[in-house]
Structures are given as structure tokens and as C-alpha cells.
Amino acid sequence: MKKVAGIVLGAVLFGAVAGASMVGVNVAAQKAGIAYQSDSGAQAVTPETTAAATQAAAETQAAGTAGSGTAPASTLGYGSVSEVAKNAMPSVVAITNMMKYQANGFSLFGNYQNYETEVPASGSGVIVGKNDTELLIVTNNHVVADSSSLSVTFCDNESVDAEIKGTDASADLAVVAVKLSDIPQATMDALKVISIGNSDDIQVGDQVVAIGNALGYGQSVTTGIISAKDRDVQTSESSESGLLQTDAAINPGNSGGALLNMQGELIGINVAKYSDTDVEGMGYSIPSAKAKKVIDSLSTLTTRQAVPEDERGYLGIQVKNIDAQTAQTFDMPQGVFIYKFTEGSNAENSGLQEKDIITALDGQGVNTFDDLSNLLSKYKAGETVKVTVKRPNGSQYDEVTVDVTLGSSETSNTNKKSGTQSQQNQGSANDPFSQNGGSSSNGNGSNGNGSDGSQGSNGSGSSDQEQLWQQFQQFFNQYQR
């Protein structure tokens, strides 16, 4: 019995000594900055181990970034849709355009009327920069085309008058300028210039956010993914290539608005007119990689006001639209075709030639006679402009830019609307596409400024259209390149 009691007492004494030794060892280890690994794999937490773990994590993150070429989402600023929208809203504006509208029809008394009126239209824009005196906003050309006045509404609902700085109808882009002096300081503090990203980096399936003035109700947000890239889309009026396709809703009023990646960068300018109401989930945007070149070019132009009609400059030419369908049929560039020079014009236009197709004026792309006329309405007689044309050269067209000094209305605008009917018919008879002395179905113009070939029909139906098309073909056959 005494032997057993001695064994137990010895065990208790050994345990006490061993326990005290372990406590001492742990205390000494902690003071020395040494940690131990438990059986469960949990590491003892000390200030030293916390610092070591933080450094190791940073090294691992850096190594991962170098290896993959892409930083983690937190370092690139990825966010939720709400965060992207909140950060981008100060850069998106609503644009109100009072458009000129030509109304034709019969009155209640049976007499035919042709008059011009104004109707409001709405669109969107994105703040892309500013210079010493102006805030610069990009939008679609069709949003501001034919405008008699423009106003821009900012994120704080402040509305300010704006002017068109430059347009490119061929790219469907325009830059609108607002005088900094017209913007209240509180609004200046609230708005910001958007960061432009590279649309070439976007991948099919990437999430995107669209912001715009949908239906004119004010700014709204939709989201979706990039469904496809490099899409070519054609409407009855024009065609556009290389578009981004998204299933984010793009509705009327969204034109000119922002398409953003999840870093909040602008990667596209939304174009509502290419959306189809019969198809859901197919919206289109002009890629930022394409838009940036046009924006940079238009932003350097001088903002011009419309010139009084009797002071306007004229090219001294007679022209014909080459629309997308005609261009495809005759294998020609789209633009404004020169078929004759105005006799007696004092415009210095010897650098131009018959059969040239005008595609730009002072670097601003044009598709139609109306585009050209709108641009020329801001230039005075005697000013020199650069006219870019596509000139036939065998089986191809060469791009040529020539200087033209604009002529005066008295010598270069022979087909004035104010003239008598016989004068108009005489001038229009030189147009090989005119019908019945002045009626044209394809936007004929004279001298690059005022069109006397009005849109319309004389009621003869399809036979007149067939006759017109035959005249059209005969004319181009005459000018075989």
C-alpha cells in the first residue's frame, strides 16, 4: 500500500514540474518571437506573426498579379452596378434639341401646304473633357442634327444652353460645347469628366452598365453583358460597322449615352436608332476605341455660330446624294457626288472635279447633302475650307483633300428658293435625277448649300420611281470610271 502511494505521489510531482517547465518554455518562446504549431494546425497569434502574415499575403498577391497580368478586383476598383452608376452619373447629361421639321400636306380647306416647324427631341451625352472656356460633351450626330437650339441638363438638374462644336455624320458622333461661364459653380463642383477605357479590351460575356435619358424621362440605368463585338448594322438611312452589341436595354433617348465597364470607364457611346423594337436584348454602342479618335479631332475645332443666309459661303457645285444602297449598287463610296459646277461662281474650287464624292468638310464627316449644308451654314463667303473627297482612279477611289475658298450667294447659289418657279425649274433641269422640273426623291442639292430638289411625289406612283431609277442608272453609266 505504501508502495502504491509512493508511485502516485511521484507522478503528481512529475506532472507539476513538467507543467511548470512548459509554461516557462512558452513564455520564453513568446518573448523570443517564436510560435508553435498546434495539432489542429492553428498558429498562435502574436504581433510578430501578424506582421509576417501580412507581408506574406502582399508578396503572394504581387506574385499572382505578375503571373496573370490581372490584378484582383479590389485593386482595380471593380464594383457593383450601383457603385458604377453612382460614380458615372455626374458625367452623363440629358440633351434637349429643338429640331426643324418640314411638314407637308393638305389643309382643311384643301390647299397644299409646305411649312417648317420645330419639335422637341431628347437624347443623352457624356462629358469627355474641357478646355479653357468650354465643357465638352460627346453625343450622337443624329441627336443634334437639324437643331435650332440645344440645351444640356446636368446631374443636379441644372439646364444650360449648348452649341454644336463639331459633327461627324459618317461616324454618327458629335461634340457639344457648353461655356464654362454659363455653368453655376455648384454644378461645376457636382459634375466630372468621364474616364475613357479601351473597348478593345472588353470581352464577350463581360458585364456592362448603360446610362442615358431613356424616353426623355431623365437618367436611368440598365445592365447586361457584351453579347458580341464588331457588329455591322444597317438601317434604311445609313449603316454602321464595328459596333458593340449588348443585351442592356438601349431605348429612345439613350442615344449618346454611356456604356460602361465595371471599372466605371466609358467603353461605348450608345446608339438607340440601331435597336429594333421587334427584338429584345439587342442594343448597340459605338466602341470607345473608334469614338475617341473622332472626339479628339472634333474637340480641336472652333465652335461656330450659324451665319446669316446672305453672308454664307458656297462651294459653287451641284451635287447628288450617294446613299448606302446606291453606294452598294454602283460600288461607290457613300457621300455627296459632284456632277456639275455652277457657272459664274466666284468660289475658288479648282481643286475639285466632277465625279468627286465629298466625304468630309474640315475633318467633319458627311453622308448626305443635308450634312454638308448644315456644316456650310456656319462659314462665310471668302473663308477657306478643307474638302475631303473620294476621287475615282480606275477601279478604286483615292482620298484627296483640297482647299476651297467659298463663294458668295450672289454668284454661287443659282437655285435660290426665293426665285420664281421658272427659275427653279431651269436650275433643277441641270440635275439628271430631277423629275418634272424640280422634284427629287433622293436629296438633290445645288452648290452645297440649299436644296431645291424637294422630297415628294407627284402622285404617279411606281412608274415614276422606275423612270427615276432608269435615269439614275443612265447617269452613272455615262460617268463610267
Side-chain angles (χ1 to χ4, degrees):
M1 188 67 179
K2 291 182 179 181
K3 185 174 181 180
V4 173
I7 293 173
V8 171
L9 182 61
V12 172
L13 181 60
F14 178 79
V17 173
S21 299
M22 288 299 298
V23 171
V25 170
N26 287 340
V27 171
Q30 290 178 7
K31 290 182 178 180
I34 302 173
Y36 69 94
Q37 188 77 20
S38 69
D39 292 340
S40 63
Q43 189 175 12
V45 179
T46 68
E48 291 79 3
T49 57
T50 300
T54 302
Q55 178 65 27
E59 292 174 354
T60 301
Q61 176 176 304
T65 301
S68 65
T70 304
S74 59
T75 62
L76 281 180
Y78 284 87
S80 64
V81 171
S82 61
E83 290 172 333
V84 171
K86 180 179 179 181
N87 291 332
M89 279 291 189
S91 304
V92 183
V93 304
I95 296 178
T96 301
N97 170 14
M98 293 302 296
M99 296 181 62
K100 297 176 182 178
Y101 176 73
Q102 195 75 25
N104 303 303
F106 290 91
S107 71
L108 293 175
F109 302 99
N111 59 314
Y112 184 80
Q113 293 182 335
N114 184 344
Y115 61 94
E116 189 175 77
T117 185
E118 290 184 343
V119 293
S122 60
S124 306
V126 187
I127 302 172
V128 291
K130 67 177 182 177
N131 53 35
D132 293 339
T133 59
E134 300 169 320
L135 189 72
L136 305 180
I137 299 165
V138 65
T139 186
N140 289 137
N141 177 65
H142 74 266
V143 170
V144 299
D146 300 322
S147 64
S148 59
S149 63
L150 285 176
S151 64
V152 168
T153 303
F154 296 101
C155 58
D156 62 350
N157 292 322
E158 183 71 30
S159 184
V160 180
D161 290 339
E163 296 286 345
I164 299 175
K165 188 173 187 67
T167 63
D168 191 327
S170 59
D172 196 14
L173 290 170
V175 171
V176 172
V178 178
K179 293 180 180 178
L180 295 178
S181 57
D182 291 343
I183 305 175
Q185 186 58 50
T187 301
M188 282 296 300
D189 294 339
L191 59 82
K192 69 178 183 179
V193 175
I194 198 74
S195 174
I196 301 180
N198 187 354
S199 57
D200 290 341
D201 293 338
I202 201 78
Q203 300 296 321
V204 173
D206 285 352
Q207 187 175 11
V208 290
V209 176
I211 304 179
N213 181 26
L215 304 179
Y217 294 154
Q219 304 296 9
S220 61
V221 179
T222 58
T223 187
I225 63 169
I226 295 295
S227 305
K229 299 175 66 175
D230 297 322
R231 286 296 198 205
D232 296 339
V233 181
Q234 185 166 344
T235 68
S236 58
E237 299 178 354
S238 62
S239 61
E240 190 69 46
S241 61
L243 298 176
L244 296 174
Q245 180 184 324
T246 175
D247 64 353
I250 306 294
N251 296 302
N254 276 126
S255 283
L259 188 70
L260 308 160
N261 60 20
M262 297 309 291
Q263 290 80 46
E265 297 172 326
L266 181 72
I267 52 102
I269 305 297
N270 298 326
V271 191
K273 76 173 184 176
Y274 291 122
S275 299
D276 192 337
T277 56
D278 295 332
V279 179
E280 293 185 3
M282 292 181 68
Y284 298 94
S285 296
I286 301 171
S288 61
K290 177 180 180 180
K292 190 175 186 306
K293 298 176 183 178
V294 178
I295 294 170
D296 291 344
S297 175
L298 298 181
S299 296
T300 63
L301 298 174
T302 301
T303 305
R304 290 175 171 265
Q305 306 288 332
V307 175
E309 191 168 353
D310 59 347
E311 299 179 13
R312 292 179 184 176
Y314 293 80
L315 292 172
I317 56 177
Q318 293 181 327
V319 298
K320 173 68 186 178
N321 284 343
I322 304 298
D323 58 21
Q325 180 181 359
T326 305
Q328 183 177 8
T329 301
F330 293 100
D331 192 21
M332 315 170 68
Q334 187 173 352
V336 183
F337 184 90
I338 300 174
Y339 67 84
K340 187 177 180 180
F341 287 85
T342 304
E343 295 181 4
S345 170
N346 62 353
E348 298 177 14
N349 55 14
S350 59
L352 299 175
Q353 298 179 9
E354 289 185 0
K355 298 185 289 183
D356 281 350
I357 300 176
I358 300 174
T359 58
L361 182 81
D362 274 353
Q364 302 175 79
V366 298
N367 278 338
T368 67
F369 165 78
D370 286 338
D371 300 332
L372 181 63
S373 180
N374 288 335
L375 293 178
L376 283 170
S377 68
K378 298 182 179 181
Y379 290 82
K380 292 184 177 182
E383 288 193 77
T384 299
V385 297
K386 291 187 178 298
V387 181
T388 301
V389 301
K390 292 294 183 68
R391 180 166 294 166
N393 179 15
S395 60
Q396 64 182 16
Y397 281 83
D398 297 333
E399 184 171 278
V400 180
T401 299
V402 301
D403 291 334
V404 175
T405 301
L406 300 175
S408 62
S409 175
E410 290 77 8
T411 64
S412 303
N413 184 24
T414 57
N415 289 347
K416 293 184 179 179
K417 290 185 178 180
S418 59
T420 65
Q421 184 65 35
S422 61
Q423 288 174 326
Q424 291 181 6
N425 290 348
Q426 183 178 2
S428 299
N430 293 324
D431 179 359
F433 309 108
S434 66
Q435 200 169 12
N436 293 334
S439 176
S440 167
S441 67
N442 201 20
N444 299 317
S446 170
N447 310 309
N449 281 79
S451 173
D452 293 294
S454 59
Q455 303 280 347
S457 170
N458 60 9
S460 298
S462 60
S463 61
D464 285 342
Q465 295 298 325
E466 293 175 359
Q467 180 183 358
L468 184 64
W469 182 247
Q470 290 175 359
Q471 293 174 348
F472 201 57
Q473 289 179 314
Q474 290 171 2
F475 176 76
F476 279 108
N477 290 337
Q478 178 183 352
Y479 286 98
Q480 291 290 335
R481 55 181 191 276

